[in-house]
Amino acid sequence: MTTWTSDELDRIAGADELEMAPLRRNGTLRRPVPIWVVRDGDDLYVRSFRGTDGGWWRAALANHEGHIRSGGVDKDVTFVEVAGSGIDDRIDTAYRTKYGRFGGAYVDPIVAARPTTLKLVPR
């Protein structure tokens, strides 16, 4: 399994947004959408602001593959479902710490979207 380099982790985690383009069922990439990304140790995680109604999230679940761009890093990734795996509190804290400056109107929906937590694994 491929892992992130320290440089990639730092660059992606240091950026405010990540451009996410899940793979469609027909094998083409969806148009990229900006989303928030957080780091926990050597892993990167995303959640859907719109919860399970988020279009990019539903597409990511359909194929579990896509492409991300952030902090000058361009990577094909696998989306791994991790909701309920015991890391939710750490991911909540990471979102509040990194994005708290934007206020509860933006951060609270992300924290509440625990069921949409996806780990980004480079391919």
Side-chain angles (χ1 to χ4, degrees), residues 58-73:
R58 289 191 320 269
L61 285 186
N63 202 342
H64 294 278
E65 293 183 354
H67 189 85
I68 60 105
R69 183 178 309 139
S70 182
V73 177

Side-chain angles (χ1 to χ4, degrees), residues 35-58:
I35 62 170
W36 286 353
V37 59
V38 294
R39 178 179 180 177
D40 181 56
D42 291 336
D43 297 314
L44 298 169
Y45 297 91
V46 295
R47 287 181 176 166
S48 171
F49 179 84
R50 299 195 189 289
T52 56
D53 291 331
W56 73 261
W57 183 80
R58 289 191 320 269

Side-chain angles (χ1 to χ4, degrees), residues 2 5 7 11 46 49 54 57 60 63 82 84 90 102 118 121:
T2 305
T5 67
D7 181 58
R11 289 166 51 191
V46 295
F49 179 84
W57 183 80
N63 202 342
V82 295
R90 293 197 320 262
F102 293 105
L118 298 174
V121 179

Side-chain angles (χ1 to χ4, degrees), residues 7 11 14 23 40 68-70 73-74 76-77 80 83 99 107-109 122:
D7 181 58
R11 289 166 51 191
L23 205 59
D40 181 56
I68 60 105
R69 183 178 309 139
S70 182
V73 177
D74 253 301
D76 289 328
V77 296
V80 179
Y99 297 107
V107 177
D108 291 348

